């Protein structure tokens, strides 16, 4: 099982989600746990985001990278699918 960390941006986004919708925030936390158990579930990204993965959670996406040597999953960003890839 991998540990997971949040980037500064992901932490801010999660706080924003928590203030707006605590159930959605809990869904994100559940997905973080799922990803930490099997980090290869995400879709590999291309282009500028090459080397990162995207996990689909309904109309939301979680962008993360896996550090296998350290057994860490770093959540880079999370948000609605319409805006997440533009950042």
């Amino acid at each position: 099982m991998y540990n997971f960390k949040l980037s500064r941006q992901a932490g801010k986004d999660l706080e924003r989600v928590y203030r707006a919708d605590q159930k959605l925030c809990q869904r994100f936390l559940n997905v973080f746990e799922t990803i930490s158990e099997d980090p290869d579930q995400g879709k590999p990204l291309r282009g500028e985001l090459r080397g990162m993965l995207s996990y689909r959670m309904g109309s939301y996406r979680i962008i993360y990278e896996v550090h296998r040597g350290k057994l860490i999953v770093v959540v880079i960003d999370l948000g609605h699918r319409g805006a997440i890839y533009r950042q």
Side-chain angles (χ1 to χ4, degrees):
M1 186 158 166
Y2 287 70
N3 292 319
F4 74 90
K5 291 185 175 183
L6 296 175
S7 70
R8 177 176 277 173
Q9 179 64 43
K12 288 179 182 179
D13 291 341
L14 193 60
E15 283 180 29
R16 195 174 314 124
V17 169
Y18 178 77
R19 285 185 297 237
D21 186 347
Q22 291 180 359
K23 288 183 182 181
L24 179 60
C25 182
Q26 186 58 49
R27 284 181 55 204
F28 275 114
L29 295 175
N30 291 341
V31 169
F32 294 162
E33 186 174 324
T34 300
I35 292 171
S36 69
E37 291 172 5
D38 181 13
D40 295 320
Q41 294 183 43
K43 174 182 140 186
L45 297 174
R46 301 182 304 203
E48 292 181 26
L49 299 176
R50 183 180 204 107
M52 296 182 194
L53 298 141
S54 174
Y55 186 90
R56 181 178 171 193
M57 189 183 86
S59 61
Y60 294 91
R61 301 293 184 268
I62 299 170
I63 308 295
Y64 65 98
E65 59 186 359
V66 181
H67 298 275
R68 296 188 190 284
K70 298 179 182 179
L71 297 177
I72 295 174
V73 172
V74 179
V75 177
I76 304 298
D77 206 356
L78 54 98
H80 193 271
R81 67 184 173 96
I84 193 79
Y85 299 110
R86 294 183 197 153
Q87 298 176 8

